[in-house]
Amino acid sequence: MTHSLADGWFTEVFDQQGSAFSLKVKGKIDSAQSEFQSIDIYDTETFGKLMVIDGCTMVSTRENFVYHEMMSHVALFAHPAPKKVAIIGGGDCGTLREVLKHTGVEQVWQIDIDELVTRMSEKHFPELCESNDDPRANILFADGIQWIKDCEPESLDVIIIDSTDPVGPAEGLFAVDFYQDCFKALAPLGIVVQQSESPLYHSNSIIKKIHVDMAAAGASSSHTVPFPQVIYPSGWWSCTLASKGGDTTSFRIEDSAAKSFRTEYYNAEMHAAGLAIPEFMRRALGMAD
Amino acid sequence: MTHSLADGWFTEVFDQQGSAFSLKVKGKIDSAQSEFQSIDIYDTETFGKLMVIDGCTMVSTRENFVYHEMMSHVALFAHPAPKKVAIIGGGDCGTLREVLKHTGVEQVWQIDIDELVTRMSEKHFPELCESNDDPRANILFADGIQWIKDCEPESLDVIIIDSTDPVGPAEGLFAVDFYQDCFKALAPLGIVVQQSESPLYHSNSIIKKIHVDMAAAGASSSHTVPFPQVIYPSGWWSCTLASKGGDTTSFRIEDSAAKSFRTEYYNAEMHAAGLAIPEFMRRALGMAD
């Protein structure tokens, strides 16, 4: 998976699509292996620190804000009044930090299978972990699939599936069985949001399948929101929302416009903008001829 | 500039930002040198053909549609009734093809300094050149700066600056003198649109400067529209519109929604979405604190 552009670069090769992205690095500054995956930390020249899991770029200091804000605020402002939130995966704690910016949120559970991700994030991305001691935060290291299965029915408002790619440990998070358990755990009007890969690379495959599977699991509506993510394959990424009885294309626009916290990417206009779908995607997803 | 990831890959290194993008290639299938620049054509594994000018990726078969549609349709639907359009640069003819889809357009002049770009595009990207014989199309090979300077005042409705990066032959296209000549050539409510590099890399530099320079040249309003562009540095790109007396954030939404031609990326919702600006950019451009 990891080829070297030359000494002094980290490269992620995305074999399926014959593309690769590289960052110039000062060096690898940490490395560890859990029972699930290997984690490397690089110090880059212009992107700050870079976390790499099993050869795939996960988080950089410079531009993780887009992903974390879009994975959290879109779903939380789409829900009428989110109080109980679960994050499946998300061990770097960046999504947790964003969720906790919502003062109406009463409890958040973050369930990542791999404690090492969080330990590495605490060490190298302390800014992402700055809300970990919030009394509303429950940071658990367990199997998220089982945790959702064991959830009290109708006990959650938002479930955020902040996972790695649908291979290896995260494969079971892209499956209709898991989505059914999510919908059982969601209260009425609850929302599940999942990172859903690249609009250019995956509209006809992973993204399309998520919509089909979410509908099969009981979603009343689902919608994909594209956003740029420079270090991920193709530099263009997405999340997909699905609702239990509500509409994923509406949101609390006044609350979003009057939000009390600072963001770097998200705002009410960007939320509305994220709901627009390019023509080729509309065709791939059966939204246009 | 061009380092090799390994045999079988084309890599563009973006030195200023310590990043690189690579495509797996079957081979280099053509190469030529003009008095201005060197042009290489690669056959890639999954992106179709790739045109590279002086080591920088310009056009791939797979995803040039985003750039060409956003460079043309946003400006043309922002203008109340565009009839006369000039494209400065644009030698691959992809923007020209999109402009000619507008039946209200009466005349288009494409002025690229380098005839070799067009000859290479005709050979390797014939689909981009399919409208070159349209009787409304005037394909010229000349210095666009001089051509605009010599234009009859108030004779153009839209000027599209479809150039390479602001180094080398295109440097003079990112300058207040040139913008003043553009505004002189534009009729009232005329619009100039320029490719304006990466929101992540250039909001505080090139993009900010374009707004300042456009205002100095007489723009009544200017606005940057971000869009994904997978093969360009950071995978995230933009164009910046400036108007002579009009508002760059309004557009003919009904006409756009009822457009008679097929697109792959652009639609009325994507046009509106493109007008939203991420928070960090709003701050960089002085639109927010």
Side-chain angles (χ1 to χ4, degrees):
Chain A
M1 282 292 285
T2 312
H3 304 207
S4 202
L5 183 68
D7 283 350
W9 290 82
F10 169 79
T11 294
E12 177 184 351
V13 173
F14 193 65
D15 274 320
Q16 296 163 40
Q17 297 283 344
S19 67
F21 180 73
S22 308
L23 287 175
K24 204 165 188 180
V25 296
K26 298 174 191 164
K28 188 192 284 193
I29 57 174
D30 206 350
S31 189
Q33 173 79 39
S34 73
E35 62 178 298
F36 304 103
Q37 49 207 0
S38 68
I39 305 181
D40 297 311
I41 308 287
Y42 293 84
D43 192 15
T44 74
E45 197 173 79
T46 64
F47 276 64
K49 289 187 182 174
L50 175 71
M51 181 187 287
V52 175
I53 297 186
D54 286 345
C56 298
T57 58
M58 284 294 128
V59 179
S60 84
T61 308
R62 184 175 188 179
E63 48 72 84
N64 77 80
F65 64 87
V66 184
Y67 178 85
H68 288 133
E69 293 180 11
M70 294 304 278
M71 286 295 290
S72 54
H73 304 310
V74 174
L76 267 71
F77 281 117
H79 189 281
K83 293 183 173 62
K84 315 278 185 190
V85 178
I87 300 164
I88 307 301
D92 61 49
C93 304
T95 299
L96 176 65
R97 183 186 68 171
E98 296 303 315
V99 169
L100 289 165
K101 289 180 178 175
H102 292 251
T103 52
V105 167
E106 295 169 359
Q107 290 286 317
V108 189
W109 293 266
Q110 176 186 293
I111 307 100
D112 198 299
I113 203 163
D114 193 353
E115 181 170 353
L116 185 61
V117 179
T118 301
R119 298 300 160 236
M120 290 292 246
S121 188
E122 288 169 338
K123 194 169 161 190
H124 298 290
F125 299 88
E127 70 281 11
L128 299 183
C129 299
E130 66 186 23
S131 299
N132 287 8
D133 294 332
D134 188 297
R136 301 171 293 161
N138 306 279
I139 298 177
L140 312 174
F141 303 106
D143 176 0
I145 294 174
Q146 190 62 45
W147 191 89
I148 286 287
K149 201 191 284 285
D150 295 341
C151 246
E152 193 183 334
E154 307 205 345
S155 63
L156 296 171
D157 298 310
V158 174
I159 300 172
I160 300 173
I161 311 172
D162 179 1
S163 73
T164 50
D165 298 329
V167 288
E171 198 171 355
L173 300 175
F174 290 76
V176 69
D177 289 1
F178 173 61
Y179 299 155
Q180 279 168 341
D181 291 335
C182 286
F183 278 99
K184 190 163 61 84
L186 283 175
L189 300 181
I191 287 175
V192 53
V193 58
Q194 178 163 44
Q195 78 84 1
S196 51
E197 311 280 307
S198 164
L200 187 71
Y201 289 165
H202 302 115
S203 284
N204 263 311
S205 54
I206 294 168
I207 296 174
K208 191 175 191 171
K209 182 175 180 302
I210 289 173
H211 286 279
V212 170
D213 288 351
M214 289 288 188
S220 53
S221 84
S222 59
H223 199 81
T224 296
V225 176
F227 51 84
Q229 196 65 45
V230 171
I231 69 168
Y232 288 176
S234 84
W236 195 17
W237 216 245
S238 69
C239 61
T240 298
L241 285 80
S243 174
K244 184 175 180 171
D247 172 13
T248 44
T249 64
S250 66
F251 68 108
R252 291 180 287 123
I253 188 162
E254 294 83 4
D255 292 350
S256 170
K259 70 184 170 53
S260 58
F261 50 85
R262 183 181 171 102
T263 49
E264 298 298 316
Y265 184 81
Y266 180 90
N267 59 37
E269 285 181 10
M270 292 303 293
H271 189 143
L275 300 172
I277 303 287
E279 284 296 276
F280 78 94
M281 272 187 89
R282 291 176 57 85
R283 289 193 277 263
L285 301 177
M287 300 166 74
D289 295 329
Chain B
M1 281 291 286
T2 311
H3 304 208
S4 200
L5 183 68
D7 283 349
W9 290 82
F10 169 80
T11 293
E12 178 183 351
V13 173
F14 193 66
D15 275 321
Q16 296 163 37
Q17 297 282 343
S19 66
F21 180 72
S22 308
L23 287 175
K24 204 165 188 179
V25 296
K26 298 174 191 163
K28 189 193 281 192
I29 56 173
D30 205 350
S31 189
Q33 172 79 40
S34 73
E35 64 177 299
F36 304 104
Q37 50 208 359
S38 69
I39 305 181
D40 297 310
I41 308 287
Y42 293 85
D43 191 16
T44 75
E45 197 171 80
T46 65
F47 276 64
K49 290 187 183 175
L50 175 71
M51 181 187 288
V52 174
I53 297 187
D54 287 345
C56 297
T57 58
M58 285 293 128
V59 178
S60 85
T61 308
R62 185 176 186 177
E63 46 73 86
N64 76 78
F65 64 89
V66 183
Y67 177 85
H68 288 134
E69 292 181 9
M70 293 305 277
M71 286 296 291
S72 54
H73 303 311
V74 174
L76 267 69
F77 281 117
H79 189 282
K83 292 183 174 61
K84 314 279 185 190
V85 178
I87 301 164
I88 307 300
D92 61 50
C93 305
T95 299
L96 175 66
R97 183 187 68 171
E98 296 304 314
V99 168
L100 289 165
K101 289 179 178 177
H102 292 250
T103 51
V105 166
E106 295 169 359
Q107 289 287 316
V108 189
W109 294 266
Q110 175 185 294
I111 308 99
D112 199 298
I113 203 164
D114 193 352
E115 181 171 353
L116 185 62
V117 179
T118 302
R119 299 300 160 235
M120 290 292 245
S121 188
E122 288 170 336
K123 194 168 162 190
H124 298 290
F125 299 88
E127 71 281 12
L128 299 183
C129 299
E130 65 185 23
S131 300
N132 286 8
D133 293 332
D134 188 297
R136 298 171 293 161
N138 305 279
I139 298 176
L140 312 174
F141 302 106
D143 176 2
I145 294 174
Q146 190 62 44
W147 192 88
I148 286 288
K149 200 191 285 286
D150 295 341
C151 247
E152 192 184 333
E154 308 206 343
S155 63
L156 295 171
D157 297 310
V158 174
I159 300 172
I160 300 174
I161 311 172
D162 180 0
S163 73
T164 51
D165 299 331
V167 288
E171 199 171 355
L173 300 175
F174 290 77
V176 69
D177 288 359
F178 173 61
Y179 298 155
Q180 279 168 341
D181 291 334
C182 286
F183 279 98
K184 190 165 59 87
L186 283 175
L189 301 181
I191 288 176
V192 54
V193 57
Q194 178 163 44
Q195 77 84 2
S196 52
E197 311 280 306
S198 165
L200 187 71
Y201 290 164
H202 303 115
S203 285
N204 264 311
S205 53
I206 295 169
I207 297 174
K208 192 175 190 169
K209 182 174 181 300
I210 290 173
H211 286 279
V212 171
D213 288 350
M214 288 288 188
S220 53
S221 85
S222 58
H223 199 80
T224 295
V225 176
F227 51 84
Q229 195 65 44
V230 171
I231 68 169
Y232 288 176
S234 84
W236 195 16
W237 216 245
S238 69
C239 61
T240 297
L241 285 78
S243 174
K244 183 174 179 171
D247 172 12
T248 44
T249 63
S250 66
F251 68 108
R252 292 180 287 125
I253 188 163
E254 294 83 2
D255 291 351
S256 170
K259 70 184 168 52
S260 58
F261 50 84
R262 183 180 170 103
T263 48
E264 299 298 317
Y265 184 81
Y266 180 91
N267 58 39
E269 285 180 12
M270 292 304 294
H271 189 145
L275 299 172
I277 303 288
E279 284 296 275
F280 78 96
M281 271 187 91
R282 291 175 57 85
R283 289 194 277 264
L285 301 178
M287 301 167 73
D289 296 327

